[in-house]
Amino acid sequence: MKANKLSRRRMLRGMLGGTAVAVGLPLLDCFLNDNATAMADGRPMPVRFGTWFWGLGATNNIFVPQKTGTSYDLPEQLAPVARVREHVNLITNLTAFRDGEPNLCHYSGWVIGRTGAAPKSGGQRPGETIDITIANQIGRTTRFRTLTAAATGDFRNTVSYETPNAPNPPEISPMDFYARLFGADFQDPNSPEFKPNPRLMARRSVLSGVMGEIKSLERSVGASDRQRLDQYFSGLRHLEHQFDQQLTRPEPIAACHAPPKLSSESPMGGEADMVKIRHRMMTQLMVMAVACDQTRVFNMSYSNAQANTTRAGFDKPHHTTTHEEPIDGTLGYQPHCAWFAHRAIEEWAYFVEAFTKVREGEGTLLDNVLIYANTDHGDARIHSLDKLVAFTAGRGGGRVKTGLHVNAEATGVSRVGYTMLRTMGVEVPTWGSKSNMTSSPLSEILV
């Protein structure tokens, strides 16, 4: 049977208890191309974008390699990256330019890295962060335009903003995150049966009934209210798309397997082993959400900018330690701070590796993902905004080279963001403002 005569949406339709139901076909070879790298109609596998964040940077003299390019050396603190080195790029010697604004400790660095602009005060919340810009390009056809999670246990620890007044609070509970992703509203794309959710059908009907009223109302209010209504209307349109997506039988996805239901909550403390457990649980959920095409844009935070991670048997959290621990005269660095940073890098490696363990087409899920990882300071002890480090992971559907160490030579951290935007199809001639404005991508990592 030819693929062009059989659609992946082909269903056997009927009625059950007065409700329309559909029984679909399994994932057949004719739905894919000969190499299982794309759909049979020529559409490529979807490309996804994600971010990962950790606070307080790294201990650069035991983190930054001496060599650049491929086969770079792995200093002590970078050692956990060994098992995923072929999948990541390390960018060092980046700068977040303040442009005359104050150095807002643990804030200016990450905001510049995700918006390309230096904030004027701590009360100035970020505008649209890079994940939202990309989500508006690639994320409107999935159940969730974006997903944000944090292992910190604090819903205030977000690095994702729609507008200065609209942060995206992260999921902090693995059990709540599971329920949101794989609870009652999850439509398993590989299920032989499809039954539209009656609650969603009712919500969709109500929404359709009010959309016309909003457009009519816009004609009777002033300019500022029209702008607010337009923003509100855009949000409702996105909700309408989500309802449409959930009320349409999803196409089969071979890589999608709903994880087992979580039976207990993870502890919510800040001790490093507790953070590790939460991070790994939420990583597995996020990976499968991406594999099931529930989202194509996602954010994960290991720690917040003022990292409150603690160490068993040690009386100070990571942030306090950066300022109070003396530099060891023999080692040349702060050993407890180095321990905290090492744990963060271990979790970054775990996050990347989790995407490599899901097969997709002839490769892995990570082949069709691009992840940007950043931090808030170069040297947290003195709140420096130079010598920042960042990572990318994944090949972005074949658009990015991996396995490289790039010395950015003190150029702007906004170059990493600009490279991400261009790679994900956001056609902007420049990104950022003032000294952080750039039109120069990291050409070393581009195919």
Side-chain angles (χ1 to χ4, degrees), residues 100-154:
E101 306 300 344
N103 182 353
L104 304 170
C105 303
H106 310 289
Y107 188 66
S108 295
W110 77 258
V111 172
I112 295 169
R114 289 179 181 244
T115 68
K120 298 179 183 295
S121 70
Q124 180 189 6
R125 299 290 95 183
E128 181 177 282
T129 47
I130 188 171
D131 58 302
I132 300 303
T133 305
I134 293 173
N136 288 335
Q137 180 82 12
I138 69 170
R140 293 190 177 277
T141 61
T142 52
R143 180 184 176 195
F144 302 108
R145 185 166 60 104
T146 62
L147 283 174
T148 299
T152 63
D154 190 336

Side-chain angles (χ1 to χ4, degrees), residues 179-207:
R180 184 181 180 196
L181 295 175
F182 300 106
D185 290 338
F186 172 61
Q187 296 284 6
D188 185 347
N190 299 316
S191 173
E193 296 183 355
F194 173 69
K195 181 178 179 180
N197 188 319
R199 293 187 297 110
L200 294 179
M201 295 171 69
R203 293 175 188 171
R204 178 66 174 83
S205 298
V206 170
L207 186 60

Side-chain angles (χ1 to χ4, degrees), residues 376-438:
D376 55 340
H377 284 298
D379 184 349
R381 182 177 61 91
I382 57 174
H383 296 138
S384 70
L385 296 179
D386 61 351
K387 297 184 179 179
L388 287 160
V389 299
F391 290 98
T392 72
R395 299 185 63 245
R399 304 169 192 174
V400 176
K401 302 173 188 176
T402 55
L404 301 172
H405 169 216
V406 177
N407 181 342
E409 299 181 348
T411 56
V413 66
S414 53
R415 292 183 64 204
V416 187
Y418 181 66
T419 305
M420 301 296 98
L421 291 169
R422 293 297 300 268
T423 303
M424 298 307 299
V426 180
E427 295 295 334
V428 289
T430 63
W431 188 63
S433 65
K434 298 183 180 180
S435 300
N436 293 296
M437 181 182 291
T438 184

Side-chain angles (χ1 to χ4, degrees), residues 279-294:
H279 178 260
R280 296 191 176 195
M281 292 174 72
M282 299 183 88
T283 291
Q284 294 300 326
L285 293 171
M286 187 72 83
V287 167
M288 195 47 61
V290 174
C292 292
D293 206 29
Q294 296 209 61

Side-chain angles (χ1 to χ4, degrees), residues 71 100 132 157 205 218 301 341 356 359 395 432 442:
S71 302
I132 300 303
N157 299 154
S205 298
E218 284 183 327
S301 293
T356 70
R359 300 296 303 175
R395 299 185 63 245
L442 295 165

Side-chain angles (χ1 to χ4, degrees), residues 311 313-314 318 321 325-326 333-342:
R311 180 179 186 179
F314 184 64
H318 187 183
T321 305
E325 183 182 23
Y333 58 85
Q334 298 166 296
H336 285 292
C337 288
W339 183 90
F340 284 114
H342 188 92

Side-chain angles (χ1 to χ4, degrees), residues 70-93:
T70 59
S71 302
Y72 56 87
D73 50 305
L74 291 170
E76 176 185 343
Q77 198 169 91
L78 194 61
V81 171
R83 66 182 190 269
V84 294
R85 178 164 57 175
E86 65 181 297
H87 303 296
V88 305
N89 293 313
L90 169 64
I91 303 99
T92 60
N93 200 10

